Amino acid sequence: MEVRLLLLALICLHAAPRWASAQQPEEATVIVKGSTRIAETDENYVCATIDWWPPEKCNYNQCPWGQSSILNLDLDHPFLAQAIQGRPLELQSVVAASILVIPPNFNNRAIVTFGVNALYGRYNVRRSIWAGKWNSTNAYDFVKYTISKGYPVGSWEFGNELSGHGIGAKVDAKLYGKDVVEFKSILRQLYKAPLSQPLLLAPGGFFDQQWYSQLLQTSGHGVVNALTHHVYNLGGGDDVHLIRKILDPKYLDRAEDTYRDRQLTIQRHGTWASAWVSESGGVFNNGGPLVSNTFINSIWYLDQLGMASKYNTKVFCRQTLIGGNYGLLDTQTFLPNPDYYSALLWHRLMGNGVLSIDVIALIAPRRLRAYAHCRRQQQGITLLVINLSNTTGYNVTLQNDINVSLGKRPNLEKRSSFTQKLRKAVSWLGSTPSSDTKKREEYHLMAKDSNLQSKTMLLNGVPLELGDDGSVPAMNPVLGAVDSPLYLAPTSIAFVVLPKFEAKACS
């Protein structure tokens, strides 16, 4: 008997995934409610910005912009072109940007949003308060110019960080609302065919519920197509506690109040408008060096993508595609940072239908984050699961709510015996499935050498690095048995595709 048990243990030792932790994992259950959608995103949910900052833009004795802003960016750089349009790089879709001249290689794949100066013509009254009528002549001429050149602008955003208390400058919501009406009339006048009119986005600032409500009430029905706000909820780039904040579920959860309040504001005052995050760097003032451009930031970024989607956020724009310390591409080399691959996996795997879930765990349940969407353009669902704990792994049982008895919860108090856990480990690998229909796809993301500040991300234990020709590495899943627990290592992320999951909301 001892020999048989030892043999079984050796099998599991060799079969265990390379990212498995030696520490005893905790038990958890994720229950997916597939009967109804709780929210929907746009098909082009993943978005990135391009900014105007010159090389002289410096904070905390660092100047991380270099030649990466729209003022001096090499728009023909092959890596940049691939990131926007090339297959298999599908991170395309929406580039919320300030692009004066749009090169041909952007036209087919990028949907461009251009920001308009909402302070032009106004004057400073006192401190940060600005008043006076907005001068629309410059905006009129510029929009007319883009139409004459045939530039495909999908939407125009009015203003930047002037809402509420503003950043450096603020404008009264009623005054802002009147100017938004004027800008809408310009778009209607210049874009002759109604179906050709771009969306009007506003105000592109930090959410203030009273100010945003007043903006919608003043501008009126159908003027603002998308209500936009910015997300920099981690603090400044010199904050020494950034990593601690990213791994603190209580801190991350604070952002949920903003998404919820914004959704309520739209429901009460502007049901015609959708919700966008038009800029989200997490860390303001250029991002955090060796945080915003490393693996640890993917935990924040993917958690925000999942959280925002639950509250009907249609588009989520990352600051930036390239530039500062928070670019999806490295400012100097144009090589992808870890968040680029995270965004790419989201875009490929997570569809626009958002599902409700329950997470049940006895130990540190809030450190296990999970989000569920209909699978992108295919049958089934995709789960995003994030482990914030840097010491504890989880064996996660995945369940469909139609198979869970009403009023009953999975019993997590009974700990599996050693032999039972060994069987689970073998079964989890899907070594003897009866058919492909009993398999799931798993994409496990971890930091190289367990260094959370590594710029190299591992997918199922393999480094994600461009090929010699600049091609994106194959991002293939490992297969697991659908009826076995999912092992989630400490401070790791997993996308899990369940092709045969029964979800009426996704059919």
Side-chain angles (χ1 to χ4, degrees), residues 178-344:
K178 293 177 181 177
D179 294 329
V180 167
V181 171
E182 182 176 355
F183 187 49
K184 186 72 169 185
S185 68
I186 290 174
L187 297 181
R188 287 171 173 163
Q189 177 183 350
L190 293 177
Y191 291 90
K192 304 298 184 183
L195 294 179
S196 71
Q197 289 179 14
L199 301 177
L200 193 160
L201 283 49
F206 292 98
F207 183 76
D208 179 297
Q209 191 164 21
Q210 182 177 355
W211 196 99
Y212 272 59
S213 299
Q214 187 64 67
L215 169 65
L216 289 172
Q217 290 173 311
T218 302
S219 57
H221 187 276
V223 173
V224 176
N225 300 114
L227 200 65
T228 56
H229 87 280
H230 293 178
V231 178
Y232 289 92
N233 60 324
L234 294 175
D238 62 341
D239 191 333
V240 297
H241 301 295
L242 292 176
I243 294 178
R244 179 185 61 78
K245 289 179 177 179
I246 291 174
L247 297 178
D248 182 352
K250 292 182 180 178
Y251 194 91
L252 293 179
D253 286 344
R254 295 179 188 176
E256 193 154 12
D257 292 337
T258 299
Y259 294 121
R260 183 184 297 109
D261 290 344
R262 185 197 56 184
Q263 184 181 50
L264 289 173
T265 299
I266 290 175
Q267 290 172 348
R268 292 170 179 170
H269 305 291
T271 53
W272 55 87
S274 61
W276 285 33
V277 171
S278 59
E279 189 177 321
S280 61
V283 181
F284 58 81
N285 287 342
N286 303 330
L290 292 180
V291 175
S292 299
N293 51 4
T294 63
F295 171 82
I296 184 64
N297 203 67
S298 277
I299 290 179
W300 169 83
Y301 180 38
L302 288 172
D303 187 63
Q304 285 292 309
L305 284 172
M307 186 186 298
S309 71
K310 294 195 307 179
Y311 294 94
N312 264 321
T313 303
K314 302 304 182 184
V315 176
F316 192 101
C317 298
R318 168 63 180 268
Q319 172 84 349
T320 62
L321 175 64
I322 186 167
N325 293 306
Y326 37 34
L328 297 178
L329 305 179
D330 183 86
T331 301
Q332 302 297 326
T333 66
F334 285 67
L335 294 173
N337 284 323
D339 282 1
Y340 177 83
Y341 294 110
S342 296
L344 184 56

Side-chain angles (χ1 to χ4, degrees), residues 426-444:
V426 175
S427 174
W428 177 84
L429 290 170
S431 56
T432 56
S434 59
S435 68
D436 288 344
T437 62
K438 294 188 177 182
K439 292 181 180 180
R440 64 180 178 232
E441 298 176 2
E442 300 176 11
Y443 302 78
H444 292 263

Side-chain angles (χ1 to χ4, degrees), residues 43-44 346-351 374-378 382:
E43 288 295 322
N44 303 316
W346 177 288
H347 178 74
R348 289 181 176 180
L349 303 175
M350 304 287 275
C374 298
R375 189 181 180 192
R376 185 172 179 86
Q377 297 179 344
Q378 296 185 66
T382 302

Side-chain angles (χ1 to χ4, degrees), residues 75 99-107 110 112 114 146 150-153:
L75 294 174
I99 298 180
L100 179 61
V101 179
I102 304 172
N105 60 6
F106 278 65
N107 292 352
V112 175
F114 197 98
T146 64
Y151 293 152
V153 178

